[in-house]
Amino acid sequence: MGLFFLTFFLIYGGFHLFFFLRIRAAFAPGTAVLFLLIALLLLGMMAPIIVRIAERDGFELLPRIFAWIGYLWMAL
């Protein structure tokens, strides 16, 4: 299972890093926008894990919201 998570985070994280570097090079946003973009990309990368943990703990609305946002971002 550890190998799966390592592979998942390396590949999916690599895509997020590539996206971040392309956005930064194309638009040269300010520092505040960069920090917001980093936060959103990290949240998007962690969405599947957050969904699984929230479902396990019995939450209903939180995992549904994170699943829609995270999985749509993953599909994009």
Side-chain angles (χ1 to χ4, degrees), residues 4-20 36-53 66-67 69-75:
F4 169 76
F5 284 121
L6 178 66
T7 305
F8 172 78
F9 283 117
L10 284 176
I11 293 172
Y12 197 48
F15 286 137
H16 279 84
L17 178 63
F18 177 75
F19 179 78
F20 171 75
L36 179 64
L37 182 61
I38 289 170
L40 288 174
L41 289 173
L42 286 174
L43 186 63
M45 194 170 76
M46 297 302 295
I49 306 301
I50 293 170
V51 168
R52 177 64 186 117
I53 291 171
F66 270 100
I69 294 170
Y71 296 144
L72 283 174
W73 171 246
M74 190 183 293

Side-chain angles (χ1 to χ4, degrees), residues 48-69:
I49 306 301
I50 293 170
V51 168
R52 177 64 186 117
I53 291 171
E55 283 177 342
R56 184 188 63 201
D57 291 341
F59 292 102
E60 302 251 347
L61 183 61
L62 180 70
R64 185 173 295 159
I65 292 170
F66 270 100
W68 273 101
I69 294 170

